[in-house]
C-alpha cells in the first residue's frame, strides 16, 4: 500500500515563504511520478495549481512554484497571502492508470 | 469555458446502489480522459477511478475495484460512476475531473461535486 506523505500543517506569516513537501512511504519522488498540486478551501472543489512537477495551471499566480527537492516533490509559496490559507494536496501518478493523493497540508497564514 | 456538473448523489442504504453522472461542456469530451475523486467528511481527497477518452481503458483504486464501474457516453458528453455494494465508508463528496491521463497525468478541471451518504 503506497502512502504519499505531506506535512499535516504549516503556519506562515504574511509575506513569508513556505515550502510544502510530498514524499513516498518507500522510495523517492521523481519527475517520473508527474507530481501535481491542488488547493482546496473548505466546502469548495479543489483547484489545480501545478502539474508535471513545475508547470503552473492557467491563472495561477507565479508566487506558486513546484520542484523536486531531494527525494520529494515540493510546492513553494513565495510571499504568502491571507487567501492562501487553505488545504494543499499533492498527487503522484503511480503508473498503470493509478493516482495516489497525498495526505494533505493545512496552511495557516497569520 | 470547461464546465463539469455532477449529479445523482443522495442517501442510500448499505449494500445499495447509486449512479453518479457528470455532464461536461466546453471541450472535446471524447478526446479527454475523465476521473472521479472523492472526499469523505473531514478527510482528504481520494482518487477513485479514471476512464480513457474512448472508454476502452478504465482504472480503479483498490478500495472500489469490483464494486464501482466507470463509463462514459461520448454522444452525450457525460461521464458515469455506477456504485454497487455501497458501504458506510463510501460516504463522501464525489468530484469528476477532466484528466490529462497519458499527457501530464493530472486533474485539469474539477466539478463542484455531489454528495453520497450511505446510511441505514
Amino acid at each position: 500500500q503506497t502512502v504519499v506523505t505531506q506535512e499535516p500543517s504549516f503556519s506562515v506569516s504574511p509575506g513569508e515563504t513556505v515550502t510544502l513537501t510530498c514524499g513516498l512511504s518507500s522510495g523517492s519522488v521523481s519527475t517520473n511520478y508527474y507530481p501535481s498540486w491542488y488547493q482546496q478551501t473548505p466546502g469548495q472543489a479543489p483547484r489545480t495549481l501545478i502539474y508535471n512537477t513545475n508547470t503552473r495551471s492557467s491563472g495561477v499566480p507565479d508566487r506558486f512554484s513546484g520542484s523536486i527537492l531531494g527525494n520529494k516533490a515540493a510546492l513553494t509559496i513565495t510571499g504568502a497571502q491571507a487567501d492562501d490559507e487553505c488545504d494543499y494536496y499533492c498527487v503522484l501518478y503511480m503508473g498503470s492508470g493509478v493516482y495516489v493523493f497525498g495526505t494533505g497540508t493545512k496552511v495557516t497564514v497569520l | 469555458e470547461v464546465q463539469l456538473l455532477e449529479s445523482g448523489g443522495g442517501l442510500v442504504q448499505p449494500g445499495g446502489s447509486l449512479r453518479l453522472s457528470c455532464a461536461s461542456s466546453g471541450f472535446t469530451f471524447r478526446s479527454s480522459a475523465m476521473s472521479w475523486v472523492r472526499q469523505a467528511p473531514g478527510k482528504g481527497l481520494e482518487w477513485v477511478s479514471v476512464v480513457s477518452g474512448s472508454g476502452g481503458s478504465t482504472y480503479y483504486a483498490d478500495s472500489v475495484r469490483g464494486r464501482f464501474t466507470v463509463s462514459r457516453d461520448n454522444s452525450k458528453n457525460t461521464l458515469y460512476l455506477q456504485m454497487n455494494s455501497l458501504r458506510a465508508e463510501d460516504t463522501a463528496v464525489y468530484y469528476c475531473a477532466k484528466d490529462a491521463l497519458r499527457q501530464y497525468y493530472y486533474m485539469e478541471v474539477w466539478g463542484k461535486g455531489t454528495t453520497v451518504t450511505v446510511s441505514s
Side-chain angles (χ1 to χ4, degrees):
Chain A
Q1 178 80 0
T2 301
V3 177
V4 177
T5 58
Q6 298 183 242
E7 298 86 359
S9 62
F10 249 118
S11 184
V12 60
S13 299
E16 288 191 343
T17 295
V18 61
T19 297
L20 316 181
T21 67
C22 174
L24 279 169
S25 53
S26 59
S28 298
V29 176
S30 69
T31 56
N32 293 332
Y33 286 92
Y34 298 89
S36 53
W37 292 89
Y38 305 84
Q39 178 188 59
Q40 187 183 35
T41 303
Q44 302 296 315
R47 171 197 182 197
T48 304
L49 294 178
I50 300 285
Y51 64 94
N52 195 27
T53 306
N54 55 15
T55 304
R56 274 186 297 277
S57 190
S58 176
V60 173
D62 59 7
R63 67 177 184 275
F64 293 94
S65 61
S67 63
I68 298 291
L69 286 181
N71 62 350
K72 297 182 179 182
L75 174 71
T76 299
I77 307 173
T78 303
Q81 300 182 1
D83 58 4
D84 297 334
E85 180 166 301
C86 57
D87 298 325
Y88 293 83
Y89 294 90
C90 67
V91 170
L92 301 181
Y93 179 67
M94 309 307 290
S96 301
V98 175
Y99 296 95
V100 179
F101 275 84
T103 49
T105 297
K106 181 179 181 63
V107 171
T108 302
V109 180
L110 46 70
Chain B
E1 179 192 5
V2 174
Q3 292 195 330
L4 304 173
L5 182 63
E6 302 91 339
S7 62
L11 174 65
V12 61
Q13 292 188 340
S17 298
L18 208 57
R19 189 178 82 156
L20 306 183
S21 299
C22 171
S24 307
S25 62
F27 64 103
T28 306
F29 183 72
R30 67 181 179 274
S31 297
S32 180
M34 297 292 293
S35 265
W36 287 100
V37 174
R38 68 184 181 182
Q39 186 169 36
K43 303 296 185 182
L45 297 167
E46 179 188 15
W47 174 78
V48 172
S49 181
V50 64
V51 58
S52 63
S54 67
S57 297
T58 58
Y59 306 94
Y60 299 92
D62 289 345
S63 58
V64 306
R65 186 176 294 114
R67 300 186 299 123
F68 290 11
T69 302
V70 63
S71 64
R72 60 193 299 158
D73 185 337
N74 287 345
S75 69
K76 295 181 179 179
N77 289 353
T78 302
L79 170 73
Y80 302 101
L81 185 68
Q82 176 67 43
M83 304 185 295
N84 298 332
S85 303
L86 282 162
R87 306 166 180 167
E89 54 264 37
D90 296 318
T91 294
V93 176
Y94 285 74
Y95 298 99
C96 67
K98 182 178 182 292
D99 193 300
L101 188 68
R102 300 193 181 118
Q103 294 179 317
Y104 297 116
Y105 300 96
Y106 74 108
M107 292 92 194
E108 297 178 68
V109 181
W110 299 72
K112 295 188 185 306
T114 187
T115 300
V116 172
T117 303
V118 183
S119 175
S120 55

